[in-house]
Amino acid sequence: MKRWVIVAGGDLEPADLKELRREDRVIAVDGGVLPLLKAELPFDRAVGDFDTLSGEGVLALKKRGIRVEELPAEKDVTDTQYAVEQALAEGAGEILILGALGGSRFDHSLANVFLLEKVESAGVRGEIRNSHNRLRLYTGNGREMIVERGPFQYVSLLPLSERVEDLHLKGFRYPLAGATLLRSDPMGISNKVIAPRATIRASSGRLLVVESSD
Amino acid sequence: MKRWVIVAGGDLEPADLKELRREDRVIAVDGGVLPLLKAELPFDRAVGDFDTLSGEGVLALKKRGIRVEELPAEKDVTDTQYAVEQALAEGAGEILILGALGGSRFDHSLANVFLLEKVESAGVRGEIRNSHNRLRLYTGNGREMIVERGPFQYVSLLPLSERVEDLHLKGFRYPLAGATLLRSDPMGISNKVIAPRATIRASSGRLLVVESSD
């Protein structure tokens, strides 16, 4: 079960591409082809309407043997959503989305975050990452999610469902035992991991787990 | 019923401050004081832990007669959330949040978006704005929300609740009649207003209405 990495067209720093491993399958979405070409990193597929890429650019991709899917500009799903659906349909074991945040349009960032739900619903681990942020989704079903003490300074817990019930946090600076969090009243911002491995557990609800640094 | 404007510490372009009207009450949140001071715009209050402002800076604010509330760095709510709660407690008729998006930490942007729910729950109109985006919340209760054809090129409709039922869009390039939208399957990205005034109506659910330009 391979990891698929989707390189979307949002803000991307060269350091973000260090996440790529040789064995990953990589889909570049629209403007996401440019940083990959610049860094001379291989990728498997390019999808998008390519309004930011010339016809010559598209031809150059094809000559390199990269499968190019030119999508119409007007469609029901975003290019990134299309790429996620492809990865799921082809049996991705895990999906990492780079270039998913930032850029001028906030609707695209938000739609990408909500896509983590689609990934999770298919039983696949999803992650959005850039140099300052790592976003994962925890679905409260009694199981434990582990947050390792790592490069990120803060961990914020933001309910995506209206509420998250019976939330237990262990190994955090601000632990919780059986708490309820509401989406409309974010109380879980800027927690910190103080144990080598902290754990999150809840009985119901969906929680965005955002690790970040200033 | 005055409009309160909260200037948070996220990305802020000088043009964003053009939204301010003389009659607004203005709260600067932490780093949000800096662009206001630079633009020599008056404000009523400054709240935050001011880790980005020197003690001298805080003193200078007080000398200007600005009420300064120094919040502890460790607290349950974010500085922006505290400011929103103050505005609501003091009877704000409308709340506009500037500097709410961008910055390196995505958790802060997302928590600010979710704050629109707190504002809406108090029966107050809330809005987040920067030069490329305008975010409002529509609560599906059968009433109409108007989106005027204006400076923004796109309108995206993103369910914040799990689903939005019986959605009707009129005056849009892609109209809808009685549709259901799911948060996990964003289908409402990049719609366009084609009438002078378009309308949104749904029977239940909460919908983020994001107007944006590239």
Side-chain angles (χ1 to χ4, degrees):
Chain A
M1 297 278 275
K2 277 192 176 293
R3 184 174 80 160
W4 286 60
V5 181
I6 292 166
V7 183
D11 286 345
L12 192 88
E13 295 181 23
D16 298 344
L17 293 173
K18 288 187 183 153
E19 296 299 324
L20 287 172
R21 300 178 207 135
R22 181 177 288 273
E23 63 272 23
D24 291 330
R25 297 289 303 272
V26 180
I27 307 182
V29 178
D30 212 66
V33 299
L34 300 172
L36 285 166
L37 289 174
K38 196 171 172 195
E40 297 183 358
L41 287 166
F43 53 105
D44 302 279
R45 200 175 303 181
V47 303
D49 57 32
F50 298 110
D51 54 358
T52 53
L53 207 70
S54 64
E56 265 176 55
V58 171
L59 206 64
L61 288 177
K62 288 179 180 166
K63 273 190 186 157
R64 284 184 191 217
I66 294 166
R67 179 172 145 194
V68 179
E69 286 190 52
E70 291 182 67
L71 305 178
E74 305 205 347
K75 57 196 169 302
D76 276 350
V77 300
T78 66
D79 296 342
T80 306
Q81 192 175 348
Y82 180 85
V84 165
E85 283 169 2
Q86 279 202 327
L88 290 175
E90 297 189 27
E94 196 178 330
I95 296 178
L96 168 65
I97 313 179
L98 305 175
L101 308 176
S104 52
R105 286 180 58 182
F106 195 75
D107 54 343
H108 279 309
S109 299
L110 209 52
N112 289 340
V113 171
F114 292 170
L115 275 179
L116 288 178
E117 276 198 283
K118 184 187 260 298
V119 174
E120 184 79 16
S121 300
V124 173
R125 269 181 53 192
E127 190 175 319
I128 285 176
R129 205 164 173 144
N130 68 15
S131 46
H132 287 280
N133 300 275
R134 178 190 190 198
L135 279 74
R136 291 181 291 168
L137 186 67
Y138 171 76
T139 302
N141 54 7
R143 78 182 166 89
E144 276 193 346
M145 181 179 195
I146 290 164
V147 185
E148 307 207 357
R149 195 165 58 193
F152 296 107
Q153 201 177 348
Y154 305 103
V155 185
S156 293
L157 303 175
L158 288 154
L160 201 52
S161 50
E162 204 163 324
R163 50 177 59 227
V164 172
E165 302 276 5
D166 194 29
L167 176 64
H168 295 259
L169 302 180
K170 285 182 187 165
F172 286 90
R173 172 103 172 237
Y174 308 102
L176 286 175
T180 297
L181 285 193
L182 301 179
R183 184 179 62 224
S184 61
D185 200 18
M187 306 283 285
I189 304 290
S190 301
N191 210 332
K192 287 180 182 178
V193 173
I194 55 169
R197 307 167 93 210
T199 58
I200 298 169
R201 182 165 56 81
S203 61
S204 71
R206 288 174 168 205
L207 200 58
L208 277 171
V209 179
V210 185
E211 295 168 75
S212 68
S213 296
D214 281 322
Chain B
M1 297 280 275
K2 277 192 176 292
R3 183 173 81 159
W4 286 59
V5 181
I6 293 166
V7 183
D11 286 346
L12 192 89
E13 294 181 23
D16 298 345
L17 293 173
K18 287 187 186 155
E19 296 299 326
L20 286 172
R21 301 177 206 136
R22 182 178 287 272
E23 63 272 23
D24 291 331
R25 298 289 302 272
V26 180
I27 308 182
V29 178
D30 212 66
V33 299
L34 300 172
L36 285 166
L37 289 174
K38 198 173 170 193
E40 297 183 359
L41 286 165
F43 53 106
D44 302 278
R45 201 175 300 181
V47 303
D49 57 30
F50 298 109
D51 54 357
T52 52
L53 206 68
S54 64
E56 266 175 55
V58 171
L59 206 64
L61 288 176
K62 288 180 180 167
K63 273 190 188 158
R64 283 185 192 216
I66 294 166
R67 178 171 145 195
V68 179
E69 287 190 52
E70 292 182 65
L71 306 177
E74 304 205 349
K75 58 197 168 303
D76 275 350
V77 299
T78 66
D79 297 342
T80 307
Q81 193 175 348
Y82 180 85
V84 165
E85 284 169 1
Q86 278 201 328
L88 291 175
E90 297 188 27
E94 197 179 329
I95 295 178
L96 169 64
I97 314 179
L98 305 175
L101 308 176
S104 52
R105 286 180 60 183
F106 194 76
D107 54 343
H108 279 309
S109 300
L110 208 52
N112 289 339
V113 171
F114 291 170
L115 276 178
L116 288 178
E117 275 199 283
K118 184 188 262 296
V119 174
E120 183 80 16
S121 299
V124 173
R125 269 182 52 192
E127 190 175 319
I128 285 176
R129 204 163 173 144
N130 67 16
S131 45
H132 287 280
N133 301 275
R134 178 190 190 198
L135 279 75
R136 290 181 291 168
L137 186 67
Y138 172 77
T139 302
N141 53 8
R143 77 181 167 88
E144 276 194 347
M145 182 180 193
I146 290 164
V147 184
E148 307 208 357
R149 196 165 57 191
F152 296 107
Q153 200 177 348
Y154 305 103
V155 185
S156 293
L157 304 174
L158 288 154
L160 201 52
S161 50
E162 203 163 324
R163 49 177 60 227
V164 172
E165 303 276 7
D166 195 27
L167 177 63
H168 295 258
L169 302 181
K170 285 184 187 163
F172 286 91
R173 171 102 172 239
Y174 309 102
L176 286 176
T180 298
L181 285 192
L182 302 178
R183 185 180 61 224
S184 61
D185 200 17
M187 307 283 285
I189 303 291
S190 301
N191 211 332
K192 286 179 184 180
V193 172
I194 55 169
R197 305 167 94 211
T199 57
I200 298 169
R201 182 165 55 80
S203 61
S204 71
R206 291 176 165 202
L207 200 57
L208 277 170
V209 179
V210 184
E211 295 169 75
S212 68
S213 296
D214 281 323

